[in-house]
């Protein structure tokens, strides 16, 4: 038990990677298992029930953390995180799953990482030298272009009708990616000020639920409760308890402890694992062109990840040089004669 507490406070590198892999498979399982369940429970109803199931467990887990007094600014930030990142992101994603299936959804998951990088750059959250910034931004621009182009092309290579469900699903996936990027950026900003990832996610989920409830209410009349098979409810419990109060809490905790580029690495893994599970469990098939689109997306993501690793190293070198300079200045100050003091004492 003491080991678990120590790892929670300061996780070892293998624990971080294991947690990422574990959460990745949990997410992939949810995308694949929820697809057939959405034939009986509409997406917004499914999303609302899922969060309602997960909230009690989120609250119990959040009690492990020390209570921190939140300011109005903190509460406002959590409100935006909840309404956009959870209310939009975690409800519309089931609409996309229903429209295009788990496989196509998974192929576009890396788009959220790319948009996170783009939004961070726009907001000026990434600071680096001008020359290196130009080179880094050039390669990041190529990576972003590949990912966005591959994501948009999926609609074309999978369906010829531009009014089809696939096109709508791809368009909504761009919306989800913006919501996810907003979540990652704002949650990272919040956790730097208030290191309470579990409680932050619980509070944000309450705001997200406020948006989901009216959306779910609109689809309640479409539910034929008596015709829902028994196997649907274990899928709902898995999505609500295991993923909402498990995988999402793990990710919130990891954002606090890991390097910024690591979530991007495991986002690409989630695409692959979901496609594999969708093929094995759901029997979904993908043509050569859609697989090429996924490869294009992953290549763009890989390019951005490589640049981000370089930027992380550059930023750490700059910060270490600054610390060394400060230490040297302090040492010189300690060795220097205190002339002003002597002059005052002589006066």
């Amino acid at each position: 038990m003491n080991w678990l507490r120590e790892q929670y406070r300061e996780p070892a590198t293998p624990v971080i990677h294991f947690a990422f892999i574990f959460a990745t498979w949990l997410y992939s399982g949810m995308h694949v298992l929820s697809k057939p369940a959405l034939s009986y429970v509409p997406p917004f109803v499914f999303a609302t029930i899922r969060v309602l199931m997960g909230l009690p467990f989120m609250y119990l887990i959040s009690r492990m953390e020390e209570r921190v007094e939140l300011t109005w600014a903190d509460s406002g930030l959590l409100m935006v995180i909840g309404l956009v990142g959870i209310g939009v992101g975690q409800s519309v994603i089931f609409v996309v799953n229903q429209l295009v299936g788990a496989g196509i959804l998974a192929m576009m998951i890396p788009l959220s990482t790319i948009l996170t990088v783009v939004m961070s750059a726009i907001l000026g959250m990434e600071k680096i030298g001008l020359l290196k910034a130009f080179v880094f931004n050039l390669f990041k621009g190529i990576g972003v272009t590949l990912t966005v182009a591959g994501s948009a092309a999926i609609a074309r290579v999978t369906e010829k009708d531009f009014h089809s469900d696939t096109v709508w699903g791809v368009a909504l996936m761009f919306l989800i990616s913006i919501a996810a990027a907003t979540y990652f950026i704002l949650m990272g900003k919040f956790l730097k000020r208030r290191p309470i990832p579990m409680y932050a996610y619980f509070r944000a989920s309450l705001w997200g639920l406020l948006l989901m409830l009216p959306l779910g209410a609109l689809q309640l009349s479409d539910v034929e409760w008596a015709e829902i098979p028994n196997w649907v409810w274990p899928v709902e419990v898995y999505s609500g308890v295991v993923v909402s109060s498990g995988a999402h809490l793990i990710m919130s905790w990891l954002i606090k402890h890991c390097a910024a580029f690591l979530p991007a690495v495991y986002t690409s893994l989630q695409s692959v694992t979901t496609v594999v599970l969708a093929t094995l469990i759901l029997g979904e098939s993908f043509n050569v062109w859609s697989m090429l689109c996924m490869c294009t997306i992953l290549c763009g993501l890989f390019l951005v990840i490589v640049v981000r690793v370089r930027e992380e190293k550059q930023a750490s070198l700059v910060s270490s040089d600054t610390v060394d300079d400060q230490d040297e200045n302090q040492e010189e100050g300690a060795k220097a004669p205190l002339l002003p003091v002597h002059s005052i004492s002589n006066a």
Side-chain angles (χ1 to χ4, degrees), residues 257-328:
H257 292 288
C258 72
F261 61 86
L262 268 183
V265 176
Y266 286 97
T267 294
S268 60
L269 177 61
Q270 186 182 152
S271 296
V272 176
T273 54
T274 305
V275 168
V276 170
L277 289 178
T279 303
L280 295 177
I281 298 176
L282 300 179
E284 292 185 6
S285 58
F286 311 98
N287 59 36
V288 174
W289 294 110
S290 61
M291 296 304 292
L292 284 175
C293 285
M294 185 178 77
C295 291
T296 302
I297 293 170
L298 293 179
C299 285
L301 176 64
F302 177 75
L303 186 58
V304 172
I305 290 171
V306 170
V307 174
R308 291 295 291 117
V309 172
R310 297 279 186 178
E311 287 178 333
E312 290 281 339
K313 290 181 179 179
Q314 181 67 24
S316 63
L317 287 174
V318 171
S319 62
S320 63
D321 290 342
T322 303
V323 172
D324 290 341
D325 291 340
Q326 290 176 348
D327 291 341
E328 289 178 4

Side-chain angles (χ1 to χ4, degrees), residues 13-336:
T13 299
V15 173
I16 290 176
H17 288 286
F18 174 80
F20 266 121
I21 294 171
F22 183 63
T24 294
W25 281 102
L26 291 180
Y27 283 127
S28 298
M30 181 190 70
H31 296 318
V32 171
L33 295 175
S34 63
K35 169 60 178 174
L38 294 171
S39 300
Y40 301 95
V41 182
F44 290 127
V45 176
F46 189 93
T48 304
I49 295 174
R50 171 189 176 225
V51 174
L52 284 170
M53 285 184 171
L55 275 174
F57 296 93
M58 294 181 208
Y59 174 72
L60 291 174
I61 295 172
S62 71
R63 288 178 61 87
M64 295 169 52
E65 296 176 327
E66 295 181 6
R67 282 290 175 262
V68 175
E69 191 70 26
L70 298 182
T71 65
W72 283 102
D74 294 330
S75 298
L77 193 57
L78 288 177
M79 180 182 69
V80 176
I81 292 171
L83 292 175
V84 178
I86 297 176
V88 175
Q90 294 187 26
S91 60
V92 179
I93 196 165
F94 292 107
V95 178
V96 174
N97 198 346
Q98 185 181 51
L99 290 173
V100 302
I104 300 298
L105 182 154
M107 292 179 186
M108 295 188 64
I109 285 175
L111 185 61
S112 62
T113 302
I114 297 300
L115 291 181
T116 302
V117 173
V118 172
M119 290 175 65
S120 298
I122 292 173
L123 295 173
M125 298 174 66
E126 301 179 14
K127 301 184 183 299
I128 203 157
L130 289 178
L131 179 60
K132 288 184 178 294
F134 174 78
V135 176
F136 287 160
N137 288 333
L138 176 64
F139 282 102
K140 276 197 291 189
I142 295 172
V144 169
T145 301
L146 287 174
T147 303
V148 174
S151 299
I154 284 180
R156 181 59 176 159
V157 302
T158 54
E159 294 286 346
K160 295 181 181 180
D161 180 10
F162 270 76
H163 297 285
S164 67
D165 289 346
T166 302
V167 177
W168 279 109
V170 169
L172 288 175
M173 198 62 194
F174 274 86
L175 173 64
I176 293 171
S177 298
I178 293 172
T182 303
Y183 172 84
F184 284 126
I185 291 172
L186 295 185
M187 183 62 85
K189 182 178 180 181
F190 177 87
L191 293 177
K192 286 182 179 179
R193 298 201 316 237
R194 301 285 187 265
I196 46 171
M198 307 300 184
Y199 185 68
Y201 185 76
F202 168 71
R203 282 284 295 269
S205 295
L206 291 175
W207 285 109
L209 185 61
L210 284 181
L211 182 62
M212 291 182 187
L213 283 171
L215 294 175
L218 292 174
Q219 292 187 330
L220 273 178
S221 60
D222 300 332
V223 182
E224 298 291 341
W225 299 100
E227 297 180 6
I228 298 177
N230 292 331
W231 60 264
V232 170
W233 298 113
V235 172
E236 187 77 75
V237 171
Y238 171 81
S239 300
V241 177
V242 178
V243 178
S244 283
S245 59
H248 284 307
L249 285 174
I250 290 172
M251 289 301 293
S252 296
W253 170 68
L254 287 170
I255 289 173
K256 174 186 172 185
H257 292 288
C258 72
F261 61 86
L262 268 183
V265 176
Y266 286 97
T267 294
S268 60
L269 177 61
Q270 186 182 152
S271 296
V272 176
T273 54
T274 305
V275 168
V276 170
L277 289 178
T279 303
L280 295 177
I281 298 176
L282 300 179
E284 292 185 6
S285 58
F286 311 98
N287 59 36
V288 174
W289 294 110
S290 61
M291 296 304 292
L292 284 175
C293 285
M294 185 178 77
C295 291
T296 302
I297 293 170
L298 293 179
C299 285
L301 176 64
F302 177 75
L303 186 58
V304 172
I305 290 171
V306 170
V307 174
R308 291 295 291 117
V309 172
R310 297 279 186 178
E311 287 178 333
E312 290 281 339
K313 290 181 179 179
Q314 181 67 24
S316 63
L317 287 174
V318 171
S319 62
S320 63
D321 290 342
T322 303
V323 172
D324 290 341
D325 291 340
Q326 290 176 348
D327 291 341
E328 289 178 4
N329 291 336
Q330 289 176 356
E331 289 177 2
E332 290 175 1
K335 294 177 181 179

